């Protein structure tokens, strides 16, 4: 995504993918910063807090980590069943009542039975690994062959049967995790309308940001982000095409990891585009995200690109070094990714000082010369691939008449009062007009994307300055929810270069602007997850800025 909307000939501009595309320019829905009023132009970025409202009762598992939950189960303080019961009660108290966050579409009716079996296995055989008995929430575009739905938030797929678990769901089950439920999302991963509101779906309605209820949770992995931020669960899985993990993670003070394309299987995940889609962790700490990434990474016979992961998957917990930034050459791509928000820039400059104090060697600036020059071609590729990839996914479903993008468009038209009360399906219609992937316009756009984002983009910048990683603000503070007009424009987002290249990207909280979170991004070359995790962990440990949400009605 570019940091600013650039007008396209057809008047479209873009938001987040899993946010929305709005045309030729790609700008993520909740990743964009709102315009800053004179009243907000304060140098004291983090001092003001959101307006107080009655807070939920203290929760025993607030900010619990995978390690602390395992310690509790080891000591007998917790069981997997008791953890599931407490998290289910938390969801019941906050999702449809109280602040009514609307982040969970359904919970797994078999969760407690699964937890009981894992508790018995623990006693009889010991643990499978760090995720044994740990509840996990999945975004509702990740297939599970159980009693839960897989709908991408749309009423069109209610009742449809998937042929098998998504590969990453299989991996989680094998690791001993409990699939606790499915989270809300920006419907169809926010690839439906030019005027969508991130976090809204036909099945789940509008999700809210737990830090300020009138602010966007961002998209498209809004439900996973909001749920993990609000301590509905220990850890969660989101998906990203361009910004859908990292944007909501930034907006909700989480650690989000978008892996290298091919490290994590895409099979069984409702697609946008195979050249950019991936799943990844959304957690409250780098350590938890590292554990979750290791559990889901690896080769899958149903997704050929994952063969490239051989030799690149490692136990990412070994990268958790609090001194990991010492001697690292970190580039700051200021052009395009700084300068759009006074609040964001103040937080970023504080973060840069932390990096320097931790021993990083800063190269400032280290601009990506091609940034913003492949937004139109990114959209072109996504439109082509959406039509083709959606047909392929739908072809394997049973108990549904939905077999093509045209079928989904027709369903939305027939159920407009439920599916399109606030915004339409302009992106779907535009994608439906595309031809096959053999067309020269698609091949040319894809070639441009790879050249501009990889060889002439991230790789060229890192070669030029001899860098280990690039660092920039993930985006601006979360904008207001606006169901009438959709997500606003303006602001910046650093997600696009890594998304289009298929390279890894990690965001971690870098502080709060008037009580709402803003993230700091670490990104770099393909297969550099371990290195980026090391840097993000060192930064996180040096700052420890994350704090739980207050469920304020609005930002102060």
């Amino acid at each position: 995504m570019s940091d600013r909307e650039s007008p396209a000939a057809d008047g479209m501009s873009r938001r987040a993918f899993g946010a929305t595309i709005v045309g030729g320019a790609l700008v993520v829905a909740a990743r964009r910063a709102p315009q800053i009023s004179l009243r907000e132009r304060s140098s004291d970025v983090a001092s003001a807090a959101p307006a107080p409202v009655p807070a939920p009762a203290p929760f025993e598992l607030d900010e619990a980590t995978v390690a602390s939950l395992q310690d509790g189960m080891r000591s007998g303080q917790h069981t997997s069943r008791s953890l599931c019961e407490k998290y289910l009660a938390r969801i019941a108290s906050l999702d449809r009542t109280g602040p009514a966050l609307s982040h969970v579409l359904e919970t797994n009716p078999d969760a407690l039975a699964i937890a009981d079996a894992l508790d018995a296995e623990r006693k009889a055989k010991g643990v499978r690994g760090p995720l044994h008995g740990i509840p996990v929430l999945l975004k509702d575009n990740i297939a599970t062959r159980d009693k839960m739905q897989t709908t991408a938030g749309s009423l069109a797929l209610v009742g449809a049967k998937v042929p098998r678990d998504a590969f990453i769901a299989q991996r989680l089950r094998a690791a001993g995790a409990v699939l606790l439920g499915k989270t809300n999302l920006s419907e169809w991963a926010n690839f439906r309308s030019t005027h969508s509101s991130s976090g809204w779906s036909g099945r789940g309605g509008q999700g809210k940001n737990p830090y300020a209820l009138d602010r966007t949770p961002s998209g498209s992995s809004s439900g996973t982000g909001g749920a993990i931020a609000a301590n509905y669960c220990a850890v969660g899985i989101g998906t990203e095409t361009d910004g859908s993990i990292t944007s909501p993670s930034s907006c909700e003070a989480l650690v989000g990891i978008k892996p290298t394309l091919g490290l994590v299987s895409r099979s069984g995940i409702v697609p946008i585009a195979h050249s950019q889609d991936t799943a990844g962790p959304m957690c409250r700490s780098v350590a938890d995200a590292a554990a979750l990434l290791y559990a889901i990474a690896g080769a899958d016979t149903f997704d050929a690109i994952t063969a490239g992961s051989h030799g690149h998957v490692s136990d990412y917990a070994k990268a958790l070094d609090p001194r990991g930034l010492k001697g690292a050459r970190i580039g700051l791509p200021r052009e395009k990714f700084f300068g759009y928000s006074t609040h964001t820039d103040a937080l970023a400059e504080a973060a840069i000082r932390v990096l320097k104090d931790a021993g990083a060697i800063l190269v400032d600036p280290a601009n990506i010369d091609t940034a913003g020059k492949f937004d139109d071609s990114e959209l072109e590729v996504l439109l082509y691939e959406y039509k083709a990839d959606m047909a392929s996914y739908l072809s394997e479903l049973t108990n549904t008449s939905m077999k093509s993008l045209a079928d989904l468009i027709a369903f939305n038209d027939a159920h407009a009062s439920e599916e399109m009360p606030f915004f339409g399906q302009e992106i779907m219609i535009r994608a439906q007009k595309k031809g096959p992937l053999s067309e020269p316009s698609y091949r040319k756009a894809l070639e441009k994307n790879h050249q501009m984002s990889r060889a002439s983009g991230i790789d060229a910048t890192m070669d030029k300055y001899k860098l280990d990683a690039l660092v920039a603000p993930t985006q601006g503070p979360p904008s207001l929810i606006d169901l009438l007009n959709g997500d606003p424009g303006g602001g910046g987002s650093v997600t696009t270069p890594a998304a289009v290249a298929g390279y890894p990207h990690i965001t971690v909280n870098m502080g709060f602007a008037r009580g709402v979170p803003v993230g700091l991004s670490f990104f770099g070359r393909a297969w550099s997850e371990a290195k980026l995790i090391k840097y993000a962990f060192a930064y996180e440990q040096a700052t420890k800025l994350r704090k739980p949400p207050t469920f304020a009605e609005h930002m102060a």
Side-chain angles (χ1 to χ4, degrees):
M1 241 105 288
S2 67
D3 62 331
R4 295 176 177 83
E5 268 187 44
S6 59
D10 60 3
M12 291 182 75
S13 66
R14 138 92 164 148
R15 313 178 210 198
F17 299 135
T20 313
I21 293 197
V22 192
L26 297 155
V27 183
V28 198
R31 299 183 299 203
R32 309 173 172 187
Q35 296 298 313
I36 304 299
S37 68
L38 290 175
R39 183 177 64 84
E40 292 177 295
R41 294 185 186 278
S42 167
S43 60
D44 187 6
V45 176
S47 62
V53 295
F59 180 46
E60 178 186 352
L61 302 179
D62 260 347
E63 302 300 288
T65 65
V66 167
S68 69
L69 294 178
Q70 286 294 355
D71 287 344
M73 287 188 282
R74 191 177 300 113
S75 70
Q77 177 187 2
H78 303 305
T79 62
S80 181
R81 183 186 179 94
S82 74
L83 293 179
C84 290
E85 288 174 337
K86 288 168 184 174
Y87 282 128
L88 289 169
R90 175 75 165 180
I91 293 167
S93 69
L94 297 183
D95 212 55
R96 300 300 174 194
T97 60
L101 298 179
S102 298
H103 287 320
V104 175
L105 292 176
E106 60 185 314
T107 55
N108 188 349
D110 295 325
L112 297 182
I114 294 168
D116 285 339
L118 290 165
D119 286 332
E121 182 182 327
R122 178 185 291 268
K123 289 181 180 179
K125 301 179 181 179
V127 299
R128 303 183 193 182
L131 293 185
H132 189 112
I134 299 294
V136 178
L137 285 168
L138 301 180
K139 185 177 179 179
D140 181 47
N141 61 351
I142 299 170
T144 55
R145 180 72 172 176
D146 54 18
K147 295 174 184 175
M148 293 188 288
Q149 305 276 341
T150 304
T151 68
S154 173
L155 299 172
L157 292 188
V158 171
K161 301 297 184 184
V162 298
R164 67 192 74 85
D165 273 349
F167 182 73
I168 62 171
Q170 296 175 28
R171 297 280 287 188
L172 289 168
R173 293 191 204 272
V178 181
L179 305 188
L180 191 66
K182 294 288 190 75
T183 59
N184 198 10
L185 67 157
S186 308
E187 188 177 294
W188 297 115
N190 223 353
F191 208 72
R192 199 191 91 183
S193 172
T194 59
H195 300 289
S196 69
S197 173
S198 288
W200 186 92
S201 76
R203 283 191 70 201
Q206 177 64 56
K208 301 173 186 175
N209 191 316
Y211 288 89
L213 301 180
D214 63 344
R215 296 272 156 178
T216 181
S218 188
S220 66
S221 303
S222 53
T224 301
I228 301 306
N231 289 277
Y232 281 14
C233 199
V235 293
I237 300 287
T239 67
E240 175 163 327
T241 306
D242 187 338
S244 292
I245 290 171
T246 48
S247 178
S249 294
S250 175
C251 287
E252 286 151 330
L254 298 179
V255 175
I257 301 181
K258 184 207 81 73
T260 302
L261 193 69
L263 184 69
V264 173
S265 173
R266 303 160 299 184
S267 69
I269 298 176
V270 182
I272 290 180
H274 61 266
S275 64
Q276 293 181 207
D277 289 350
T278 186
M282 299 176 71
C283 305
R284 293 186 295 270
S285 70
V286 176
D288 284 357
L292 194 57
L293 180 62
Y294 183 48
I296 63 174
D300 171 19
T301 56
F302 285 98
D303 187 0
I305 197 173
T306 59
S309 69
H310 287 297
H312 294 295
V313 179
S314 63
D315 182 353
Y316 300 108
K318 295 178 180 177
L320 302 177
D321 180 0
R323 298 172 298 280
L325 280 163
K326 187 173 180 61
R329 287 183 61 84
I330 304 294
L332 304 177
R334 289 192 177 269
E335 187 177 343
K336 300 288 186 185
F337 306 123
F338 288 73
Y340 54 82
S341 162
T342 55
H343 288 329
T344 301
D345 283 350
L347 291 170
E349 294 306 322
I352 289 166
R353 290 192 292 273
V354 172
L355 298 175
K356 185 175 182 180
D357 290 345
I361 300 165
L362 301 182
V363 181
D364 185 6
N367 295 324
I368 302 172
D369 292 338
T370 58
K373 296 180 180 178
F374 47 92
D375 291 346
D376 289 350
S377 57
E378 179 187 12
L379 174 59
E380 184 78 352
V381 166
L382 300 189
L383 291 169
Y384 268 102
E385 292 187 2
Y386 189 49
K387 180 181 180 181
D389 292 355
M390 185 61 73
S392 178
Y393 175 84
L394 294 173
S395 70
E396 289 199 288
L397 302 185
T398 57
N399 200 42
T400 180
S401 61
M402 300 293 110
K403 296 300 178 184
S404 68
L405 183 57
D407 291 337
L408 300 178
I409 292 169
F411 179 94
N412 291 337
D413 285 336
H415 300 83
S417 61
E418 300 112 316
E419 279 292 345
M420 299 192 292
F422 303 113
F423 50 87
Q425 54 181 338
E426 307 90 88
I427 294 172
M428 283 185 159
I429 292 169
R430 184 170 174 182
Q432 176 59 28
K433 294 177 181 178
K434 294 297 182 183
L437 300 186
S438 58
E439 288 192 350
S441 57
Y442 165 73
R443 305 305 304 175
K444 182 179 179 181
L446 183 63
E447 182 181 358
K448 177 183 176 182
N449 284 352
H450 289 166
Q451 177 64 36
M452 298 286 274
S453 64
R454 296 174 182 174
S456 300
I458 292 173
D459 292 334
T461 304
M462 296 187 73
D463 287 343
K464 179 179 180 180
Y465 298 108
K466 298 179 174 58
L467 300 177
D468 294 303
L470 290 151
V471 170
T474 308
Q475 61 186 53
S479 58
L480 288 167
I481 293 170
D482 187 348
L483 287 167
L484 183 63
N485 298 304
D487 295 322
S493 171
V494 76
T495 65
T496 295
V500 176
Y503 288 1
H505 175 186
I506 301 177
T507 185
V508 62
N509 180 244
M510 71 170 178
F512 295 80
R514 300 186 68 89
V516 294
V518 182
L520 183 70
S521 287
F522 295 78
F523 61 106
R525 299 182 193 272
W527 314 114
S528 63
E529 280 81 0
K531 185 180 286 190
L532 298 179
I533 286 169
K534 179 173 68 173
Y535 301 151
F537 180 76
Y539 174 78
E540 175 194 57
Q541 294 305 297
T543 57
K544 296 186 177 179
L545 292 170
R546 178 179 158 81
K547 53 190 176 184
T550 60
F551 307 98
E553 290 182 349
H554 53 79
M555 187 182 77

